[in-house]
Amino acid sequence: MIIVLMGPPGAGKGTQARHIVDKYNVTHLATGDMFREKIASGDDVGVKIKEMVESGRLVPDELTIQMIADRIEQPDCKNGFILDGFPRTVEQAEGLDMMLKEHGLFMDGALEIKVDDNALVDRISGRFSCSDCGEGYHDDFKPSAVSDICDCCGGEHKFVRRADDTAEKVKTRLGIYHEQTAPILPFYEQRNMLHTVDGMGSMEDVKINIFSVLDGLEDSNCDLHDSKEYGDVRCNYKK
Ligand code: ADP
Ligand code: ADP
Ligand code: ZN
């Protein structure tokens, strides 16, 4: 399964991606995580992008597209992958189309988690995560059971907050989302690939709604991929 997960910063993409990975056995490719790893490693690319990422601006398309093109060739992507935070511009969406075509692969759909802007500031300001296992938390909506201990891996004092998760930088990031990323939604809508899920409910409710969309896609896309519309091409799934 190849899915693009869309939604503004703080919508719950990372939270839901972890559930999707568990249920559908796909690899989670989060460009934000990949960039933060590069920054932490201090390599050339990391040094170049640090200021952009920490101030909430986008990394240039060419660098981002190439990073994903290299990543999807890794063996752990054979079973499928979920793209979280990519594409973020129309140019990236076109880049993704091209790389999938080159590999004879199909995107199963784009899943948009829709959340009101005013809820996003609260979600982002309270966000923290475990630096060991990546589990995401929230001061109010998902605190850890025991203070400073990760529910998931038991790590102590491993919680971290992102440099760009401040109220001021959220405004920059939201502005960029509406200006540069939201225009991708019609790009997928026109191809009947866009599935929108209400992200204002509880994490559990959002998960249930996402699973129901993805179960439906798994059932229907095989037939679509074998149809004339796609010509003589390989389906992602074994029948
Ligand atoms: P994104 O990856 O889209 O930026 P996250 O998954 O990191 O978003 O979620 C942002 C913050 O909001 C996290 O602290 C997370 O625990 C919290 N969160 C996620 N989904 C919900 C929800 N449905 N209701 C309340 N808080 C949520
Ligand atoms: P969020 O979870 O809040 O949506 P991400 O972790 O996806 O944020 O991204 C954090 C930052 O990493 C972005 O503000 C941007 O600087 C950079 N980034 C992530 N994905 C992309 C992308 N596809 N194109 C350009 N920049 C990106
Ligand atoms: Zn942990």
Side-chain angles (χ1 to χ4, degrees):
M1 183 181 270
I2 298 174
I3 295 290
V4 165
L5 197 53
M6 298 210 38
K13 301 182 295 297
T15 302
Q16 298 300 333
R18 286 173 81 85
H19 298 310
I20 296 169
V21 165
D22 286 346
K23 178 161 184 208
Y24 299 93
N25 191 26
V26 290
T27 293
H28 181 203
L29 303 184
T31 39
D33 290 346
M34 292 160 88
F35 287 139
R36 282 186 290 277
E37 276 163 26
K38 286 190 187 297
I39 293 171
S41 81
D43 70 8
D44 287 354
V45 176
V47 170
K48 190 173 156 194
I49 64 174
K50 182 174 165 48
E51 214 273 317
M52 297 174 208
V53 172
E54 292 185 351
S55 65
R57 286 180 290 122
L58 294 186
V59 173
D61 286 331
E62 202 186 323
L63 199 160
T64 309
I65 293 169
Q66 192 55 52
M67 181 174 75
I68 289 294
D70 293 341
R71 186 64 186 83
I72 65 167
E73 292 186 350
Q74 300 300 310
D76 63 345
C77 289
K78 283 235 152 38
N79 248 334
F81 45 88
I82 174 156
L83 291 163
D84 164 1
F86 178 89
R88 250 176 162 97
T89 62
V90 172
E91 195 173 340
Q92 290 181 16
E94 289 167 352
L96 175 63
D97 257 15
M98 296 239 302
M99 68 180 91
L100 292 181
K101 215 174 238 170
E102 275 168 20
H103 291 87
L105 294 171
F106 297 98
M107 204 176 114
D108 290 83
L111 196 66
E112 179 201 11
I113 306 179
K114 203 170 184 147
V115 175
D116 299 344
D117 280 5
N118 50 18
L120 295 172
V121 179
D122 287 343
R123 286 196 188 178
I124 287 180
S125 331
R127 164 160 68 185
F128 60 96
S129 64
C130 173
S131 58
D132 268 2
C133 73
E135 182 69 1
Y137 292 91
H138 191 281
D139 291 325
D140 302 319
F141 309 133
K142 190 184 162 187
S144 60
V146 181
S147 166
D148 240 345
I149 295 183
C150 178
D151 296 353
C152 213
C153 72
E156 281 184 59
H157 311 300
K158 299 290 181 186
F159 292 147
V160 287
R161 289 177 196 259
R162 283 168 43 177
D164 58 342
D165 276 352
T166 61
E168 183 208 337
K169 286 171 192 165
V170 173
K171 278 191 205 139
T172 311
R173 288 157 61 200
L174 266 179
I176 291 176
Y177 179 81
H178 290 300
E179 218 172 90
Q180 297 196 56
T181 307
I184 306 175
L185 298 171
F187 178 92
Y188 289 130
E189 198 172 19
Q190 280 155 14
R191 303 163 176 209
N192 286 329
M193 278 191 166
L194 183 66
H195 306 272
T196 300
V197 166
D198 178 9
M200 291 297 287
S202 69
M203 293 180 214
E204 184 62 22
D205 285 349
V206 177
K207 181 181 93 175
I208 290 168
N209 289 334
I210 288 179
F211 283 1
S212 112
V213 170
L214 295 184
D215 287 345
L217 286 182
E218 256 190 344
D219 289 343
S220 66
N221 275 353
C222 247
D223 295 337
L224 177 66
H225 292 164
D226 283 344
S227 73
K228 269 200 212 119
E229 194 184 334
Y230 279 93
D232 181 21
V233 279
R234 186 168 73 80
C235 176
N236 287 335
Y237 307 109
K238 293 185 203 87
K239 277 218 163 181

